[in-house]
Amino acid sequence: QVHLVESGGGSVQAGGSLRLSCAAFGDLYSSECMGWFRQAPGKERERVADISRSGISNYYADAVKGRFTITLDNAKNTVYLQMNSLKPEDTAMYYCAADGWCRASPRYWGQGTQVTVSS
């Protein structure tokens, strides 16, 4: 079992930045891959970015490439999502997720943190 605790959401104007954090507790083998998904009202859940502890696997959605950076601090069991040049279309609930490998449907989820970008 893996327990994920997120922080760092909030409201920002377009062009601004936010950093999300997610700490993992529990079975680290089941959180070999950690990442972020988002879901806006009326839209499907979208895989945003993920990264493996080994550094072998790394994914970014096309919509965030060049603007978002995901990093993983293995010593702290914490994954970060640095979001720069935010756009109104980035507004969504952001969820941290983890699993033994990087995939589109991970088993473990955080409670979510809201990101709102105003124009």
Side-chain angles (χ1 to χ4, degrees):
Q1 288 289 330
V2 177
H3 181 55
L4 302 172
V5 180
E6 302 142 332
S7 61
S11 297
V12 66
Q13 288 190 329
S17 299
L18 285 172
R19 189 176 82 154
L20 306 182
S21 301
C22 173
F25 301 90
D27 180 6
L28 297 184
Y29 290 106
S30 294
S31 61
E32 167 63 23
C33 182
M34 296 183 69
W36 295 91
F37 288 70
R38 67 186 181 185
Q39 188 166 21
K43 295 188 177 181
E44 293 187 355
R45 185 180 67 193
E46 176 185 19
R47 184 181 181 187
V48 177
D50 54 43
I51 185 169
S52 64
R53 292 181 185 274
S54 64
I56 295 176
S57 182
N58 193 194
Y59 170 88
Y60 288 100
D62 288 342
V64 307
K65 282 180 180 176
R67 300 188 298 122
F68 291 11
T69 302
I70 188 169
T71 55
L72 179 57
D73 186 332
N74 283 315
K76 296 182 178 180
N77 299 322
T78 299
V79 65
Y80 303 95
L81 186 67
Q82 179 66 43
M83 305 184 293
N84 297 329
S85 301
L86 283 161
K87 304 176 182 180
E89 50 263 45
D90 294 317
T91 295
M93 184 70 79
Y94 283 70
Y95 296 92
C96 179
D99 208 327
W101 64 94
C102 294
R103 59 177 182 166
S105 299
R107 287 178 292 171
Y108 303 104
W109 295 87
Q111 77 281 2
T113 185
Q114 179 68 37
V115 171
T116 302
V117 184
S118 58
S119 57

